[in-house]
Amino acid sequence: MSASARSGFGGVLRRDLLLGARQRSELANPIIFYVIVIALLVLAVGADAAVLDRLAPPVIWIAALLASTLSLDQVFHQDFADGSLEQLLLSHHPLAVLVAAKIAAHWLLYGVPMMLTALLVTGMLRLPDSALATLLATLLLGTPVFSLIGAVLAALTVGLRGSGLLLPLLILPLYVPLLIFSVGAVEDAARGLPVAGELYLIASVLALSICVMPIAAAAALRARLS
Amino acid sequence: MFTFLHKYGSPQHFYRLSRGLAPWFGGASALLFAAGLYGALLLSPPDYQQGEGVRIIYVHVPSAWMSLMVYVIMAAAGGVGLIWKVKVADAFARASAPLGAAFTFLALATGSLWGKPMWGTWWVWDARLTSELILLFLYLGYMALQTAIEDRRTAARAGAVLALVGLVNIPIIHFSVLWWSTLHQGPTLRPFAPPAIHMSMLVPLMVMAVAFMLYFAAVVLVRTRNELLELERNSNWARELAAEEAAR
């Protein structure tokens, strides 16, 4: 990355983090939603110890999927509404770099708090201690992929009427591989099986997404706005 | 390459070309459907395990093949439209999506009709069934995005990005679900291996597959022409064409 592109990346990242820090209640909403979904799932299925043991990994992951989908609408929405998105498009920095900064900011603002909340929730869900490290590893590798893939679709649906429902519709099918690998890894860890293979797979999905998705998101923004 | 795109990529030229081609594809498809169905329902033998129930293969397998092929074609057309800004490719991608969704639905429906007598259940959460279901969601998402964006040009480019991202994901989805324990049989036909199916069944299956492809070709050309007419309704050639048709 050249020095000029790096300054563009840093500028957008700093701006988005600052904006996020000034709107704390909006930051909290997905986290609260996350905890509510988990509570509802547990209430609906029943809090038997035997059931909870099976339930903890999928519940944590499904709730994380839904909560991050809700927060994704925010990636471009405000900038689109106040016009600063068009300024980003006109900037002399490569758009993919600026979009990558926005994605990184989204992950820091929503993905990281969600991981920390998950840490809290695992105690309530009686997840075995042996699986805790694996769960954190899958979330650490998986939540950036949420932000990366999600940014493409958020860019495609920005400013559309009914985008609130369209975005989850488009995005959830694309999360399937991540869900399968991650839940599989956590379940294997809970049974004491090796999980390196699954973690490498999730890491490769992350590597692929880092390379492809910022470019795709930039193309999507250009397609929607020019 | 570029002169080719320039010539055949013009909506007017494509319209006339496809008007000539579509009936031929449709006719050939009808003939092959008749021959394939005759072979499938009457000539080919019943399976030694599955009895007459095996005959659903002649619809199920071609539609499953088509569901994937149409997605690849749609994403490729979207990519051409995105990169070289070819209007015809955009219209083509938009016209293919509902057809692909229909093939996917047909594959799922015939599969579950087949599954009931053979596996004893309409549906299992098996790898192939699940990835085919997700493919259906990808098609429906593409179509939802197309209807949500009113401007055709924007809708086509947004759809192309979505289709290409989905294209990257299809093999990943396929392999991720493949590693679940699976009930669906493995592929019978591989590119570089002798077929594991008897000639008396392979021939009608192939005839049906080609008939499905020609059906797709015919219908997608007609649908693309409609898209182009709507897109170009204010241009001279479309008006002349309308006047020509009206005078006839």
PDB file of all heavy atoms in Angstrom, chain B residues 6-40:
ATOM      1  N   HIS B   6     -19.110  -5.446 -30.337  1.00  0.00           N
ATOM      2  CA  HIS B   6     -19.750  -4.230 -30.821  1.00  0.00           C
ATOM      3  C   HIS B   6     -20.904  -4.569 -31.762  1.00  0.00           C
ATOM      4  O   HIS B   6     -21.977  -3.994 -31.686  1.00  0.00           O
ATOM      5  CB  HIS B   6     -18.716  -3.367 -31.540  1.00  0.00           C
ATOM      6  CG  HIS B   6     -19.250  -2.036 -31.919  1.00  0.00           C
ATOM      7  ND1 HIS B   6     -19.498  -1.065 -30.991  1.00  0.00           N
ATOM      8  CD2 HIS B   6     -19.625  -1.531 -33.105  1.00  0.00           C
ATOM      9  CE1 HIS B   6     -19.989  -0.012 -31.595  1.00  0.00           C
ATOM     10  NE2 HIS B   6     -20.080  -0.271 -32.880  1.00  0.00           N
ATOM     11  N   LYS B   7     -20.641  -5.558 -32.639  1.00  0.00           N
ATOM     12  CA  LYS B   7     -21.659  -5.871 -33.624  1.00  0.00           C
ATOM     13  C   LYS B   7     -22.837  -6.594 -32.983  1.00  0.00           C
ATOM     14  O   LYS B   7     -23.982  -6.156 -33.073  1.00  0.00           O
ATOM     15  CB  LYS B   7     -21.054  -6.736 -34.728  1.00  0.00           C
ATOM     16  CG  LYS B   7     -22.034  -6.991 -35.843  1.00  0.00           C
ATOM     17  CD  LYS B   7     -21.366  -7.655 -37.022  1.00  0.00           C
ATOM     18  CE  LYS B   7     -22.406  -7.957 -38.089  1.00  0.00           C
ATOM     19  NZ  LYS B   7     -21.994  -9.077 -38.922  1.00  0.00           N
ATOM     20  N   TYR B   8     -22.542  -7.732 -32.290  1.00  0.00           N
ATOM     21  CA  TYR B   8     -23.641  -8.528 -31.765  1.00  0.00           C
ATOM     22  C   TYR B   8     -24.156  -7.979 -30.448  1.00  0.00           C
ATOM     23  O   TYR B   8     -25.209  -8.391 -29.977  1.00  0.00           O
ATOM     24  CB  TYR B   8     -23.203  -9.986 -31.625  1.00  0.00           C
ATOM     25  CG  TYR B   8     -23.003 -10.606 -32.958  1.00  0.00           C
ATOM     26  CD1 TYR B   8     -21.749 -10.616 -33.554  1.00  0.00           C
ATOM     27  CD2 TYR B   8     -24.086 -11.106 -33.665  1.00  0.00           C
ATOM     28  CE1 TYR B   8     -21.573 -11.140 -34.817  1.00  0.00           C
ATOM     29  CE2 TYR B   8     -23.919 -11.624 -34.924  1.00  0.00           C
ATOM     30  CZ  TYR B   8     -22.666 -11.645 -35.499  1.00  0.00           C
ATOM     31  OH  TYR B   8     -22.499 -12.145 -36.740  1.00  0.00           O
ATOM     32  N   GLY B   9     -23.403  -7.049 -29.845  1.00  0.00           N
ATOM     33  CA  GLY B   9     -23.838  -6.480 -28.585  1.00  0.00           C
ATOM     34  C   GLY B   9     -24.844  -5.361 -28.773  1.00  0.00           C
ATOM     35  O   GLY B   9     -25.389  -4.874 -27.800  1.00  0.00           O
ATOM     36  N   SER B  10     -25.075  -4.950 -30.019  1.00  0.00           N
ATOM     37  CA  SER B  10     -26.054  -3.880 -30.188  1.00  0.00           C
ATOM     38  C   SER B  10     -27.449  -4.487 -30.074  1.00  0.00           C
ATOM     39  O   SER B  10     -27.733  -5.530 -30.671  1.00  0.00           O
ATOM     40  CB  SER B  10     -25.874  -3.211 -31.540  1.00  0.00           C
ATOM     41  OG  SER B  10     -26.645  -3.868 -32.513  1.00  0.00           O
ATOM     42  N   PRO B  11     -28.294  -3.866 -29.257  1.00  0.00           N
ATOM     43  CA  PRO B  11     -29.622  -4.446 -29.013  1.00  0.00           C
ATOM     44  C   PRO B  11     -30.386  -4.729 -30.299  1.00  0.00           C
ATOM     45  O   PRO B  11     -31.025  -5.773 -30.429  1.00  0.00           O
ATOM     46  CB  PRO B  11     -30.323  -3.362 -28.195  1.00  0.00           C
ATOM     47  CG  PRO B  11     -29.243  -2.606 -27.543  1.00  0.00           C
ATOM     48  CD  PRO B  11     -28.084  -2.644 -28.484  1.00  0.00           C
ATOM     49  N   GLN B  12     -30.249  -3.812 -31.268  1.00  0.00           N
ATOM     50  CA  GLN B  12     -31.001  -3.956 -32.501  1.00  0.00           C
ATOM     51  C   GLN B  12     -30.608  -5.236 -33.227  1.00  0.00           C
ATOM     52  O   GLN B  12     -31.447  -6.052 -33.636  1.00  0.00           O
ATOM     53  CB  GLN B  12     -30.713  -2.750 -33.381  1.00  0.00           C
ATOM     54  CG  GLN B  12     -31.572  -2.686 -34.590  1.00  0.00           C
ATOM     55  CD  GLN B  12     -31.236  -1.467 -35.404  1.00  0.00           C
ATOM     56  OE1 GLN B  12     -30.322  -0.710 -35.059  1.00  0.00           O
ATOM     57  NE2 GLN B  12     -31.949  -1.266 -36.479  1.00  0.00           N
ATOM     58  N   HIS B  13     -29.275  -5.440 -33.356  1.00  0.00           N
ATOM     59  CA  HIS B  13     -28.785  -6.612 -34.066  1.00  0.00           C
ATOM     60  C   HIS B  13     -29.181  -7.881 -33.327  1.00  0.00           C
ATOM     61  O   HIS B  13     -29.640  -8.855 -33.924  1.00  0.00           O
ATOM     62  CB  HIS B  13     -27.263  -6.529 -34.211  1.00  0.00           C
ATOM     63  CG  HIS B  13     -26.735  -7.496 -35.199  1.00  0.00           C
ATOM     64  ND1 HIS B  13     -26.447  -7.134 -36.480  1.00  0.00           N
ATOM     65  CD2 HIS B  13     -26.485  -8.814 -35.095  1.00  0.00           C
ATOM     66  CE1 HIS B  13     -26.030  -8.205 -37.139  1.00  0.00           C
ATOM     67  NE2 HIS B  13     -26.037  -9.230 -36.310  1.00  0.00           N
ATOM     68  N   PHE B  14     -29.001  -7.834 -32.007  1.00  0.00           N
ATOM     69  CA  PHE B  14     -29.327  -9.017 -31.211  1.00  0.00           C
ATOM     70  C   PHE B  14     -30.808  -9.352 -31.341  1.00  0.00           C
ATOM     71  O   PHE B  14     -31.183 -10.514 -31.428  1.00  0.00           O
ATOM     72  CB  PHE B  14     -28.968  -8.780 -29.749  1.00  0.00           C
ATOM     73  CG  PHE B  14     -29.214  -9.974 -28.877  1.00  0.00           C
ATOM     74  CD1 PHE B  14     -28.241 -10.933 -28.712  1.00  0.00           C
ATOM     75  CD2 PHE B  14     -30.430 -10.140 -28.233  1.00  0.00           C
ATOM     76  CE1 PHE B  14     -28.466 -12.047 -27.928  1.00  0.00           C
ATOM     77  CE2 PHE B  14     -30.668 -11.258 -27.453  1.00  0.00           C
ATOM     78  CZ  PHE B  14     -29.685 -12.209 -27.302  1.00  0.00           C
ATOM     79  N   TYR B  15     -31.640  -8.318 -31.361  1.00  0.00           N
ATOM     80  CA  TYR B  15     -33.075  -8.545 -31.456  1.00  0.00           C
ATOM     81  C   TYR B  15     -33.410  -9.320 -32.723  1.00  0.00           C
ATOM     82  O   TYR B  15     -34.121 -10.324 -32.690  1.00  0.00           O
ATOM     83  CB  TYR B  15     -33.814  -7.203 -31.451  1.00  0.00           C
ATOM     84  CG  TYR B  15     -35.301  -7.352 -31.320  1.00  0.00           C
ATOM     85  CD1 TYR B  15     -35.904  -7.268 -30.086  1.00  0.00           C
ATOM     86  CD2 TYR B  15     -36.086  -7.611 -32.433  1.00  0.00           C
ATOM     87  CE1 TYR B  15     -37.269  -7.429 -29.950  1.00  0.00           C
ATOM     88  CE2 TYR B  15     -37.453  -7.782 -32.309  1.00  0.00           C
ATOM     89  CZ  TYR B  15     -38.037  -7.683 -31.067  1.00  0.00           C
ATOM     90  OH  TYR B  15     -39.378  -7.855 -30.939  1.00  0.00           O
ATOM     91  N   ARG B  16     -32.833  -8.844 -33.843  1.00  0.00           N
ATOM     92  CA  ARG B  16     -33.162  -9.514 -35.111  1.00  0.00           C
ATOM     93  C   ARG B  16     -32.600 -10.926 -35.147  1.00  0.00           C
ATOM     94  O   ARG B  16     -33.257 -11.866 -35.579  1.00  0.00           O
ATOM     95  CB  ARG B  16     -32.620  -8.687 -36.277  1.00  0.00           C
ATOM     96  CG  ARG B  16     -33.388  -7.393 -36.394  1.00  0.00           C
ATOM     97  CD  ARG B  16     -33.007  -6.591 -37.613  1.00  0.00           C
ATOM     98  NE  ARG B  16     -33.609  -5.263 -37.516  1.00  0.00           N
ATOM     99  CZ  ARG B  16     -34.883  -5.019 -37.788  1.00  0.00           C
ATOM    100  NH1 ARG B  16     -35.679  -5.987 -38.189  1.00  0.00           N
ATOM    101  NH2 ARG B  16     -35.362  -3.799 -37.665  1.00  0.00           N
ATOM    102  N   LEU B  17     -31.361 -11.071 -34.664  1.00  0.00           N
ATOM    103  CA  LEU B  17     -30.717 -12.393 -34.651  1.00  0.00           C
ATOM    104  C   LEU B  17     -31.522 -13.376 -33.804  1.00  0.00           C
ATOM    105  O   LEU B  17     -31.819 -14.494 -34.239  1.00  0.00           O
ATOM    106  CB  LEU B  17     -29.298 -12.253 -34.093  1.00  0.00           C
ATOM    107  CG  LEU B  17     -28.456 -13.512 -34.127  1.00  0.00           C
ATOM    108  CD1 LEU B  17     -27.992 -13.785 -35.536  1.00  0.00           C
ATOM    109  CD2 LEU B  17     -27.251 -13.377 -33.212  1.00  0.00           C
ATOM    110  N   SER B  18     -31.926 -12.922 -32.609  1.00  0.00           N
ATOM    111  CA  SER B  18     -32.594 -13.851 -31.701  1.00  0.00           C
ATOM    112  C   SER B  18     -33.999 -14.153 -32.191  1.00  0.00           C
ATOM    113  O   SER B  18     -34.508 -15.249 -31.976  1.00  0.00           O
ATOM    114  CB  SER B  18     -32.641 -13.270 -30.288  1.00  0.00           C
ATOM    115  OG  SER B  18     -33.458 -12.148 -30.261  1.00  0.00           O
ATOM    116  N   ARG B  19     -34.611 -13.200 -32.903  1.00  0.00           N
ATOM    117  CA  ARG B  19     -35.935 -13.477 -33.443  1.00  0.00           C
ATOM    118  C   ARG B  19     -35.857 -14.609 -34.456  1.00  0.00           C
ATOM    119  O   ARG B  19     -36.750 -15.449 -34.553  1.00  0.00           O
ATOM    120  CB  ARG B  19     -36.516 -12.225 -34.084  1.00  0.00           C
ATOM    121  CG  ARG B  19     -37.971 -12.397 -34.438  1.00  0.00           C
ATOM    122  CD  ARG B  19     -38.614 -11.099 -34.792  1.00  0.00           C
ATOM    123  NE  ARG B  19     -37.928 -10.434 -35.891  1.00  0.00           N
ATOM    124  CZ  ARG B  19     -38.327  -9.273 -36.394  1.00  0.00           C
ATOM    125  NH1 ARG B  19     -39.361  -8.663 -35.884  1.00  0.00           N
ATOM    126  NH2 ARG B  19     -37.678  -8.726 -37.370  1.00  0.00           N
ATOM    127  N   GLY B  20     -34.733 -14.643 -35.194  1.00  0.00           N
ATOM    128  CA  GLY B  20     -34.554 -15.738 -36.133  1.00  0.00           C
ATOM    129  C   GLY B  20     -34.214 -17.052 -35.449  1.00  0.00           C
ATOM    130  O   GLY B  20     -34.675 -18.111 -35.858  1.00  0.00           O
ATOM    131  N   LEU B  21     -33.401 -16.972 -34.385  1.00  0.00           N
ATOM    132  CA  LEU B  21     -32.869 -18.205 -33.787  1.00  0.00           C
ATOM    133  C   LEU B  21     -33.865 -18.900 -32.868  1.00  0.00           C
ATOM    134  O   LEU B  21     -33.926 -20.127 -32.836  1.00  0.00           O
ATOM    135  CB  LEU B  21     -31.597 -17.893 -32.989  1.00  0.00           C
ATOM    136  CG  LEU B  21     -30.320 -17.726 -33.801  1.00  0.00           C
ATOM    137  CD1 LEU B  21     -29.166 -17.380 -32.866  1.00  0.00           C
ATOM    138  CD2 LEU B  21     -30.003 -18.998 -34.570  1.00  0.00           C
ATOM    139  N   ALA B  22     -34.633 -18.101 -32.085  1.00  0.00           N
ATOM    140  CA  ALA B  22     -35.446 -18.688 -31.013  1.00  0.00           C
ATOM    141  C   ALA B  22     -36.383 -19.796 -31.510  1.00  0.00           C
ATOM    142  O   ALA B  22     -36.445 -20.855 -30.891  1.00  0.00           O
ATOM    143  CB  ALA B  22     -36.227 -17.595 -30.296  1.00  0.00           C
ATOM    144  N   PRO B  23     -37.105 -19.612 -32.655  1.00  0.00           N
ATOM    145  CA  PRO B  23     -37.988 -20.700 -33.099  1.00  0.00           C
ATOM    146  C   PRO B  23     -37.238 -21.992 -33.403  1.00  0.00           C
ATOM    147  O   PRO B  23     -37.746 -23.092 -33.129  1.00  0.00           O
ATOM    148  CB  PRO B  23     -38.630 -20.144 -34.369  1.00  0.00           C
ATOM    149  CG  PRO B  23     -38.446 -18.684 -34.304  1.00  0.00           C
ATOM    150  CD  PRO B  23     -37.204 -18.439 -33.520  1.00  0.00           C
ATOM    151  N   TRP B  24     -36.012 -21.861 -33.952  1.00  0.00           N
ATOM    152  CA  TRP B  24     -35.235 -23.071 -34.252  1.00  0.00           C
ATOM    153  C   TRP B  24     -34.886 -23.804 -32.964  1.00  0.00           C
ATOM    154  O   TRP B  24     -35.040 -25.026 -32.867  1.00  0.00           O
ATOM    155  CB  TRP B  24     -33.954 -22.715 -35.012  1.00  0.00           C
ATOM    156  CG  TRP B  24     -34.247 -22.253 -36.403  1.00  0.00           C
ATOM    157  CD1 TRP B  24     -34.294 -20.978 -36.854  1.00  0.00           C
ATOM    158  CD2 TRP B  24     -34.572 -23.096 -37.530  1.00  0.00           C
ATOM    159  NE1 TRP B  24     -34.625 -20.959 -38.176  1.00  0.00           N
ATOM    160  CE2 TRP B  24     -34.808 -22.247 -38.629  1.00  0.00           C
ATOM    161  CE3 TRP B  24     -34.701 -24.484 -37.699  1.00  0.00           C
ATOM    162  CZ2 TRP B  24     -35.145 -22.710 -39.880  1.00  0.00           C
ATOM    163  CZ3 TRP B  24     -35.048 -24.964 -38.962  1.00  0.00           C
ATOM    164  CH2 TRP B  24     -35.265 -24.086 -40.026  1.00  0.00           C
ATOM    165  N   PHE B  25     -34.394 -23.053 -31.975  1.00  0.00           N
ATOM    166  CA  PHE B  25     -34.075 -23.683 -30.692  1.00  0.00           C
ATOM    167  C   PHE B  25     -35.329 -24.320 -30.100  1.00  0.00           C
ATOM    168  O   PHE B  25     -35.299 -25.459 -29.613  1.00  0.00           O
ATOM    169  CB  PHE B  25     -33.527 -22.656 -29.705  1.00  0.00           C
ATOM    170  CG  PHE B  25     -32.108 -22.251 -29.978  1.00  0.00           C
ATOM    171  CD1 PHE B  25     -31.686 -20.945 -29.783  1.00  0.00           C
ATOM    172  CD2 PHE B  25     -31.182 -23.179 -30.418  1.00  0.00           C
ATOM    173  CE1 PHE B  25     -30.383 -20.573 -30.023  1.00  0.00           C
ATOM    174  CE2 PHE B  25     -29.876 -22.827 -30.669  1.00  0.00           C
ATOM    175  CZ  PHE B  25     -29.478 -21.517 -30.478  1.00  0.00           C
ATOM    176  N   GLY B  26     -36.442 -23.581 -30.148  1.00  0.00           N
ATOM    177  CA  GLY B  26     -37.680 -24.096 -29.564  1.00  0.00           C
ATOM    178  C   GLY B  26     -38.131 -25.362 -30.264  1.00  0.00           C
ATOM    179  O   GLY B  26     -38.506 -26.347 -29.620  1.00  0.00           O
ATOM    180  N   GLY B  27     -38.073 -25.359 -31.612  1.00  0.00           N
ATOM    181  CA  GLY B  27     -38.500 -26.534 -32.369  1.00  0.00           C
ATOM    182  C   GLY B  27     -37.622 -27.728 -32.060  1.00  0.00           C
ATOM    183  O   GLY B  27     -38.122 -28.838 -31.790  1.00  0.00           O
ATOM    184  N   ALA B  28     -36.287 -27.506 -32.074  1.00  0.00           N
ATOM    185  CA  ALA B  28     -35.363 -28.609 -31.795  1.00  0.00           C
ATOM    186  C   ALA B  28     -35.605 -29.138 -30.390  1.00  0.00           C
ATOM    187  O   ALA B  28     -35.585 -30.366 -30.159  1.00  0.00           O
ATOM    188  CB  ALA B  28     -33.924 -28.134 -31.940  1.00  0.00           C
ATOM    189  N   SER B  29     -35.857 -28.220 -29.455  1.00  0.00           N
ATOM    190  CA  SER B  29     -36.107 -28.641 -28.078  1.00  0.00           C
ATOM    191  C   SER B  29     -37.368 -29.507 -27.994  1.00  0.00           C
ATOM    192  O   SER B  29     -37.366 -30.551 -27.346  1.00  0.00           O
ATOM    193  CB  SER B  29     -36.235 -27.403 -27.199  1.00  0.00           C
ATOM    194  OG  SER B  29     -36.891 -27.720 -26.018  1.00  0.00           O
ATOM    195  N   ALA B  30     -38.420 -29.090 -28.710  1.00  0.00           N
ATOM    196  CA  ALA B  30     -39.662 -29.872 -28.676  1.00  0.00           C
ATOM    197  C   ALA B  30     -39.436 -31.269 -29.236  1.00  0.00           C
ATOM    198  O   ALA B  30     -39.889 -32.269 -28.665  1.00  0.00           O
ATOM    199  CB  ALA B  30     -40.758 -29.145 -29.446  1.00  0.00           C
ATOM    200  N   LEU B  31     -38.699 -31.348 -30.367  1.00  0.00           N
ATOM    201  CA  LEU B  31     -38.416 -32.658 -30.969  1.00  0.00           C
ATOM    202  C   LEU B  31     -37.647 -33.548 -29.998  1.00  0.00           C
ATOM    203  O   LEU B  31     -37.977 -34.719 -29.797  1.00  0.00           O
ATOM    204  CB  LEU B  31     -37.590 -32.476 -32.250  1.00  0.00           C
ATOM    205  CG  LEU B  31     -38.372 -32.074 -33.484  1.00  0.00           C
ATOM    206  CD1 LEU B  31     -37.438 -31.913 -34.667  1.00  0.00           C
ATOM    207  CD2 LEU B  31     -39.430 -33.141 -33.776  1.00  0.00           C
ATOM    208  N   LEU B  32     -36.596 -32.946 -29.387  1.00  0.00           N
ATOM    209  CA  LEU B  32     -35.768 -33.745 -28.481  1.00  0.00           C
ATOM    210  C   LEU B  32     -36.544 -34.150 -27.232  1.00  0.00           C
ATOM    211  O   LEU B  32     -36.360 -35.247 -26.709  1.00  0.00           O
ATOM    212  CB  LEU B  32     -34.510 -32.978 -28.087  1.00  0.00           C
ATOM    213  CG  LEU B  32     -33.436 -32.938 -29.172  1.00  0.00           C
ATOM    214  CD1 LEU B  32     -32.251 -32.132 -28.697  1.00  0.00           C
ATOM    215  CD2 LEU B  32     -32.987 -34.345 -29.538  1.00  0.00           C
ATOM    216  N   PHE B  33     -37.414 -33.244 -26.754  1.00  0.00           N
ATOM    217  CA  PHE B  33     -38.255 -33.601 -25.601  1.00  0.00           C
ATOM    218  C   PHE B  33     -39.116 -34.810 -25.947  1.00  0.00           C
ATOM    219  O   PHE B  33     -39.219 -35.760 -25.164  1.00  0.00           O
ATOM    220  CB  PHE B  33     -39.158 -32.432 -25.203  1.00  0.00           C
ATOM    221  CG  PHE B  33     -38.611 -31.613 -24.075  1.00  0.00           C
ATOM    222  CD1 PHE B  33     -38.442 -30.244 -24.208  1.00  0.00           C
ATOM    223  CD2 PHE B  33     -38.254 -32.206 -22.885  1.00  0.00           C
ATOM    224  CE1 PHE B  33     -37.923 -29.487 -23.177  1.00  0.00           C
ATOM    225  CE2 PHE B  33     -37.738 -31.459 -21.850  1.00  0.00           C
ATOM    226  CZ  PHE B  33     -37.571 -30.101 -21.997  1.00  0.00           C
ATOM    227  N   ALA B  34     -39.727 -34.781 -27.162  1.00  0.00           N
ATOM    228  CA  ALA B  34     -40.578 -35.909 -27.561  1.00  0.00           C
ATOM    229  C   ALA B  34     -39.759 -37.189 -27.612  1.00  0.00           C
ATOM    230  O   ALA B  34     -40.132 -38.211 -27.018  1.00  0.00           O
ATOM    231  CB  ALA B  34     -41.220 -35.610 -28.916  1.00  0.00           C
ATOM    232  N   ALA B  35     -38.591 -37.125 -28.285  1.00  0.00           N
ATOM    233  CA  ALA B  35     -37.765 -38.319 -28.422  1.00  0.00           C
ATOM    234  C   ALA B  35     -37.264 -38.775 -27.056  1.00  0.00           C
ATOM    235  O   ALA B  35     -37.309 -39.967 -26.725  1.00  0.00           O
ATOM    236  CB  ALA B  35     -36.585 -38.020 -29.345  1.00  0.00           C
ATOM    237  N   GLY B  36     -36.788 -37.800 -26.243  1.00  0.00           N
ATOM    238  CA  GLY B  36     -36.218 -38.145 -24.936  1.00  0.00           C
ATOM    239  C   GLY B  36     -37.263 -38.755 -24.021  1.00  0.00           C
ATOM    240  O   GLY B  36     -36.993 -39.742 -23.339  1.00  0.00           O
ATOM    241  N   LEU B  37     -38.470 -38.185 -24.022  1.00  0.00           N
ATOM    242  CA  LEU B  37     -39.506 -38.716 -23.141  1.00  0.00           C
ATOM    243  C   LEU B  37     -39.947 -40.101 -23.591  1.00  0.00           C
ATOM    244  O   LEU B  37     -40.190 -40.982 -22.773  1.00  0.00           O
ATOM    245  CB  LEU B  37     -40.707 -37.761 -23.099  1.00  0.00           C
ATOM    246  CG  LEU B  37     -40.493 -36.528 -22.232  1.00  0.00           C
ATOM    247  CD1 LEU B  37     -41.670 -35.582 -22.363  1.00  0.00           C
ATOM    248  CD2 LEU B  37     -40.313 -36.921 -20.776  1.00  0.00           C
ATOM    249  N   TYR B  38     -40.008 -40.306 -24.934  1.00  0.00           N
ATOM    250  CA  TYR B  38     -40.346 -41.638 -25.450  1.00  0.00           C
ATOM    251  C   TYR B  38     -39.304 -42.639 -24.971  1.00  0.00           C
ATOM    252  O   TYR B  38     -39.634 -43.701 -24.441  1.00  0.00           O
ATOM    253  CB  TYR B  38     -40.404 -41.594 -26.976  1.00  0.00           C
ATOM    254  CG  TYR B  38     -40.771 -42.913 -27.588  1.00  0.00           C
ATOM    255  CD1 TYR B  38     -42.059 -43.430 -27.451  1.00  0.00           C
ATOM    256  CD2 TYR B  38     -39.828 -43.664 -28.294  1.00  0.00           C
ATOM    257  CE1 TYR B  38     -42.389 -44.653 -27.994  1.00  0.00           C
ATOM    258  CE2 TYR B  38     -40.150 -44.879 -28.840  1.00  0.00           C
ATOM    259  CZ  TYR B  38     -41.435 -45.373 -28.693  1.00  0.00           C
ATOM    260  OH  TYR B  38     -41.765 -46.595 -29.223  1.00  0.00           O
ATOM    261  N   GLY B  39     -38.026 -42.258 -25.120  1.00  0.00           N
ATOM    262  CA  GLY B  39     -36.948 -43.148 -24.673  1.00  0.00           C
ATOM    263  C   GLY B  39     -36.993 -43.354 -23.168  1.00  0.00           C
ATOM    264  O   GLY B  39     -36.797 -44.460 -22.669  1.00  0.00           O
ATOM    265  N   ALA B  40     -37.287 -42.273 -22.448  1.00  0.00           N
ATOM    266  CA  ALA B  40     -37.216 -42.344 -20.990  1.00  0.00           C
ATOM    267  C   ALA B  40     -38.365 -43.171 -20.419  1.00  0.00           C
ATOM    268  O   ALA B  40     -38.182 -43.970 -19.510  1.00  0.00           O
ATOM    269  CB  ALA B  40     -37.236 -40.938 -20.405  1.00  0.00           C
TER     270      ALA B  40
END
